[in-house]
Amino acid sequence: MKKIERTLLGLLVVLALISMAVPGKLTVILAVISLLALAAGFHHLGAAFKWATGIFLALGLLIAITSGFSLNQTASAINSMDGLISLLIIMQLFNVPIRVGHYQDAIVKLMNAKLPTNRGLYVFTMLITFLLSSILSMGTVPIIYSILGPTIKDRTGQEYQHFSSVAISRSFTLGTLWAPGAATIFLISTITKVPLQRLFVPSFLLGIGALLIAYLMEFHQPIMAKRVASQSDQSSAKLVWPVAQIVIAVAALLVIAFSLIHFKVGETMTDVALAGLVVVAVWTLLLITKSSNRQEARAALGSYFHNGLLNGGSLAPFFVAIGLFSDAFEHSTVSTTIAHAMTPLMTHLSWGSLVLIPLLVVLLSIIGIHPLASVTLLGQIMMTIHLPFGALALALGLNIGSVIAYTMSPFAGIVVIIANILGVNSATVSLRWNGKYCLILFAFSLLFIFAYTLV
């Protein structure tokens, strides 16, 4: 069964990339592959995602049928998120150069040599998580705990659970604001019709500001002042260079991606996926000039084809269903009906409705509805209503709402993973340790959105 899933996901990626050169020629074939991938991968989904996928698929088909969609229109709707699926699958390839280059060892050496205080350790943990999450997505958390966990535990003792939890959970979720390897920003860009290059800058600035808040909130904790002796006599340049390589790779990914988007080579998500392929290929080729790395590269690629491809495509059924619903909803009379019903309320609330948008995403997540589902539904509804603010403000509201939901919901994947690693209750990670931070972040983000979109 896994072989069939890998084959279908591989075909989906290849056809999505080929369709860049021949737009419209492979629509029906790609839709068939997408539906087969949905059927083959459905059993891997968790209970919440199964319900969401089934509901969105049923609603999407119902709207398409009752609205008289043609075969090509329905196929296009089914394919509307294939670029995002391809992107998530391709981004898993970044595990190859990370593994071949032994960057984990370099990060530990740098941390032990140049970060004598826990305050510095906290900042470094946040920054490296923020950086790696942009290319490794959910795979970042286990990697960070395997790399930094022993050192953090040794330095912080009884504070290990709280210290590592707040540093990693906050910085990881803030990475989803702008990261090429995250699904949220691409989904929001697609729904709100705000170009990625326009959404990226305020989202990244918002992420940096939120990182600063996360640091300031922990700055005066007693554990932060603890110092350790340096454990390396290597030069600063030799220690920093491996981490600099990761920064260069992320920067190259963004430059190539935005260049492809600027020249309209393909759809936004497919352009970023293609940029990811280029960066991984060049990075890996540079690393395997050493003969000792070639065997590791083969092993890493083998691991990708057996596990990474399936990990990247684990939510493919969900995105196929969301794509169908989103596209069908947008081009149907249902959206017009809802718009007429909700316009008086939104007009009455005026700019206050911008407060309501992220709040609804968070509240829905707390009762178990995944932010990707609530962002899709709320985004589509809001786009049909005449709002007193532009699409960029709506997109940023949805974006920060999803970040707070990922951090604050006990059901969020990142929270559950961290809670399992630390052996604590997920509500402890989300509400007890991150609740106050999320409230401050909510207020800061609204002020930022107001200021940025009004200037």
Side-chain angles (χ1 to χ4, degrees):
M1 189 64 181
K2 286 186 177 181
K3 186 176 181 179
I4 294 173
E5 291 176 53
R6 285 196 295 267
T7 301
L8 288 170
L9 291 172
L11 274 173
L12 191 152
V13 172
V14 171
L15 290 175
L17 293 176
I18 291 175
S19 65
M20 294 171 65
V22 287
K25 301 292 184 182
L26 301 173
T27 303
V28 175
I29 295 174
L30 189 53
V32 171
I33 297 298
S34 298
L35 289 175
L36 288 174
L38 184 155
F42 186 80
H43 69 285
H44 285 311
L45 297 174
F49 274 111
K50 282 181 178 177
W51 276 104
T53 300
I55 291 170
F56 278 120
L57 180 65
L59 287 175
L61 288 173
L62 180 63
I63 293 172
I65 292 169
T66 56
S67 299
F69 277 34
S70 66
L71 177 61
N72 273 337
Q73 283 178 306
T74 305
S76 294
I78 292 169
N79 298 338
S80 60
M81 290 293 170
D82 283 349
L84 177 56
I85 297 169
S86 301
L87 171 66
L88 295 175
I89 291 172
I90 287 172
M91 294 306 284
Q92 289 290 313
L93 276 168
F94 275 91
N95 282 295
V96 175
I98 291 291
R99 175 174 167 181
V100 173
H102 299 283
Y103 292 97
Q104 299 94 323
D105 298 336
I107 289 169
V108 170
K109 289 177 182 177
L110 175 63
M111 180 176 62
N112 289 334
K114 301 299 176 182
L115 304 172
T117 67
N118 284 342
R119 191 171 287 124
L121 175 63
Y122 182 77
V123 172
F124 182 76
T125 302
M126 286 199 302
L127 290 178
I128 200 68
T129 304
F130 189 68
L131 181 65
L132 286 178
S133 67
S134 69
I135 54 177
L136 299 181
S137 190
M138 291 294 283
T140 303
V141 177
I143 288 175
I144 289 294
Y145 268 104
S146 65
I147 297 172
L148 306 184
T151 302
I152 295 174
K153 192 170 187 177
D154 181 59
R155 287 202 193 183
T156 58
Q158 293 181 345
E159 295 293 324
Y160 166 67
Q161 292 176 323
H162 177 268
F163 184 100
S164 64
S165 170
V166 297
I168 294 172
S169 63
R170 294 172 187 178
S171 51
F172 175 86
T173 54
L174 290 173
T176 65
L177 273 169
W178 62 276
T184 314
I185 189 171
F186 293 96
L187 183 62
I188 291 171
S189 175
T190 302
I191 292 169
T192 61
K193 303 296 186 292
V194 176
L196 180 63
Q197 57 269 43
R198 188 177 173 217
L199 182 57
F200 173 81
V201 173
S203 296
F204 184 76
L205 292 175
L206 188 53
I208 296 298
L211 274 180
L212 181 59
I213 291 172
Y215 169 67
L216 292 174
M217 285 188 65
E218 304 297 323
F219 182 83
H220 294 293
Q221 295 295 326
I223 192 67
M224 290 294 182
K226 183 180 176 182
R227 299 181 66 88
V228 295
S230 174
Q231 298 178 27
S232 175
D233 56 2
Q234 290 181 281
S235 67
S236 296
K238 191 173 182 180
L239 289 168
V240 171
W241 174 234
V243 177
Q245 290 178 42
I246 300 176
V247 176
I248 292 168
V250 174
L253 172 64
L254 293 172
V255 170
I256 296 171
F258 285 128
S259 297
L260 293 174
I261 293 169
H262 176 74
F263 291 108
K264 299 179 179 178
V265 175
E267 296 292 333
T268 298
M269 288 176 284
T270 314
D271 285 342
V272 180
L274 185 59
L277 276 177
V278 172
V279 173
V280 167
V282 172
W283 194 2
T284 305
L285 286 173
L286 290 173
L287 289 172
I288 63 173
T289 52
K290 295 180 180 179
S291 58
S292 59
N293 287 341
R294 291 171 190 167
Q295 188 173 353
E296 283 197 69
R298 285 194 291 270
L301 284 169
S303 177
Y304 169 78
F305 285 112
H306 283 92
N307 300 307
L309 194 150
L310 289 177
N311 289 338
S314 60
L315 289 181
F318 176 72
F319 286 119
V320 171
I322 271 190
L324 171 60
F325 167 78
S326 181
D327 194 271
F329 182 89
E330 181 184 348
H331 296 96
S332 72
T333 57
V334 177
S335 59
T336 307
T337 304
I338 293 175
H340 284 309
M342 292 193 66
T343 295
L345 173 63
M346 292 303 168
T347 302
H348 176 72
L349 289 173
S350 187
W351 276 84
S353 56
L354 185 57
V355 179
L356 186 64
I357 291 166
L359 192 59
L360 284 173
V361 176
V362 174
L363 291 176
L364 289 172
S365 72
I366 290 176
I367 63 173
I369 298 176
H370 197 276
L372 290 176
S374 56
V375 160
T376 300
L377 189 57
L378 289 172
Q380 285 292 0
I381 291 172
M382 293 300 171
M383 284 296 291
T384 64
I385 300 170
H386 180 69
L387 297 168
F389 45 84
L392 178 59
L394 171 62
L396 291 172
L398 290 170
N399 207 1
I400 196 61
S402 67
V403 166
I404 296 173
Y406 289 137
T407 311
M408 200 171 182
S409 171
F411 305 104
I414 177 66
V415 169
V416 172
I417 290 172
I418 290 176
N420 285 340
I421 291 173
L422 297 177
V424 298
N425 189 284
S426 61
T428 299
V429 175
S430 60
L431 298 174
R432 182 181 169 191
W433 290 342
N434 280 317
K436 183 180 178 181
Y437 166 74
C438 287
L439 291 174
I440 295 172
L441 177 58
F442 180 70
F444 166 77
S445 300
L446 288 175
L447 291 174
F448 176 90
I449 295 170
F450 279 121
Y452 190 90
T453 56
L454 283 175
V455 171

